[in-house]
Amino acid sequence: MTPKPPRTLFICQNCGFQTGKWLGKCPECEAWNSLVEEVVSPEPPYRRTPDQVAVRSRPTPLISLSPSQEERRPCGCREFDRALGGGVVPGSVVLLGGDPGIGKSTLMLQVLDRLSGGGFIGLYISGEESAGQLKLRADRLGITSARLLVATETCLENILKLLDSEKPHYLVLDSIQTLYAASLPAAPGSITQVRETAFQLVQLAKRSGIPIFLIGHVTKEGAIAGPKLLEHMVDTVLYFEGDRSHTYRLLRTVKNRFGPGQELGVFEMRQTGLAEVTNPSALFLSERSLEAPGSVVVASIEGSRPILVEVQALVTPSSLGMPRRQAAGVDAGRLSLLVAVLEKRVGLAFGNQDIFVNVAGGIRLTEPAVDLGIIAALTSSLWERPVAADTLIFGEVGLTGEVRTVAQTEVRLQEGAKLGFRRALLAKGQRNQLRSVRDLQILEISSVREALRRLFPPDR
Ligand code: TYD
Ligand code: MG
């Protein structure tokens, strides 16, 4: 029998949707210009014959299974372990995404270096950099371990051979977009290749128990092959992000089958690599301008820990017919809502004002607990009256102008007290939770109106 000739299909590079003809917009994920013609082989090479499949899985009563001992191996890098939910789970596949140049390769080299200190062999496979470039970086990072192995390779079949011969405990692939399976005609980085190589690597991890870290260049627009598709295939997805003009980097968990789905690790990029930041609040508040109108400190919970951040607002008369509303670090829709609450419930006039809101340090705040802080910053800038620098603010604001309590009040206050705050403005009704918090004067309020009266007392 002659094998069927390869044929071509148009495949969405964002979600993997396939069609026989070209379309400008993917009907599945609605991305524009994402369909690319790819050669696909008639039979995916991983398809098994029926008898191979038969031996593999036999149904068992669920109640008769023994719970898996979820072994977790800490890497010794606290912020990285935190993002993973405590450590690496054997056989898991972790996707580390982020913009080019943010520090993904640096982070993974440092993690492997830490692991090799614990006696583990780490294999770092680079398809992006030459051995010389890797050595330059390693020197910069002060890596001296002989257990950290590197190879420059992009062919999946060769990588599998390397695994057989070197028997590493950990594997890093930098990056998934450079890998290709020789058995497929499609180009490296195309969605067919990304899907096939990732599939084989996931199988390999499950079979061998070796944790695999895949580095992926994933831009915010998802412009490069298969980001969404990859996210479904792997166990854990981490995003490394940060403002290039600043030195800190945030390692954000967006999916984790083995731990909390939302965690945040904080690093600082130095001349000698990434350093862990164990007290992010202090870092984010270090550049704060005290007692400036429009500046407020909010207590937000990121993952499992409180982080204090400065929210800044600038409200200034507009020269445009349609005043600007710009939000960086907070949701623009939420900002409009809070402005509307201030207009309707307090009677402030923002109609002819440009409004800019910014969260210092490039961090993104998604919790409703920051509402009251945004309200305070907006009013402070509008009235040109500073909020006392020793005041911590948090609370969720409702449409009627009421302020509601938020979870984990105590933890937020403790973090504030630790960093020298003296007063906290928050929603009424949490007294009994606050016994352990001393050194902080608690200002309890129940509405936005009342909050503003406490923050900006009338001039005598
Ligand atoms: P890199 O890990 O190559 O980023 P990615 O793999 O995400 O593309 O990091 C590149 C940047 O980090 C580069 O701009 C230089 C900077 N850097 C430092 O500031 N200090 C260091 O010790 C290292 C190794 C890199
Ligand atoms: Mg890199």
Side-chain angles (χ1 to χ4, degrees), residues 115-135:
L115 283 165
S116 66
F120 295 108
I121 299 171
L123 176 58
Y124 181 101
I125 296 183
S126 178
E128 309 221 317
E129 286 153 314
S130 66
Q133 282 170 314
L134 289 172
K135 175 65 178 148

Side-chain angles (χ1 to χ4, degrees), residues 123-127 150-154 159 162 171-175:
L123 176 58
Y124 181 101
I125 296 183
S126 178
V150 295
T152 51
E153 181 59 72
T154 51
I159 291 172
L162 279 179
L171 177 67
V172 173
L173 293 159
D174 187 2
S175 62

Side-chain angles (χ1 to χ4, degrees), residues 101 104-106 124 128-129 137 174 215 217:
K104 299 181 295 299
S105 307
T106 307
Y124 181 101
E128 309 221 317
E129 286 153 314
R137 181 179 291 126
D174 187 2
I215 294 181
H217 298 293

Side-chain angles (χ1 to χ4, degrees), residues 99-106 137 140-141 269-273:
D99 292 342
I102 205 73
K104 299 181 295 299
S105 307
T106 307
R137 181 179 291 126
R140 213 169 153 182
L141 302 175
M269 184 61 99
R270 303 222 179 118
Q271 279 309 308
T272 51

Side-chain angles (χ1 to χ4, degrees), residues 298-300 311 330 338 365-375 393-396 412:
V298 300
S300 172
V311 173
V330 297
L338 295 171
L365 300 175
T366 48
E367 244 204 331
V370 301
D371 288 354
L372 192 59
I374 300 174
I375 290 261
I393 299 178
F394 57 89
E396 180 178 351
R412 297 176 206 253

Side-chain angles (χ1 to χ4, degrees), residues 171-184:
L171 177 67
V172 173
L173 293 159
D174 187 2
S175 62
I176 183 77
Q177 276 96 17
T178 56
L179 292 189
Y180 70 96
S183 54
L184 291 182

Side-chain angles (χ1 to χ4, degrees), residues 154-169:
T154 51
C155 175
L156 185 67
E157 286 80 0
N158 287 345
I159 291 172
L160 297 181
K161 278 182 216 143
L162 279 179
L163 283 175
D164 269 344
S165 62
E166 305 302 326
K167 308 230 172 351
H169 298 108

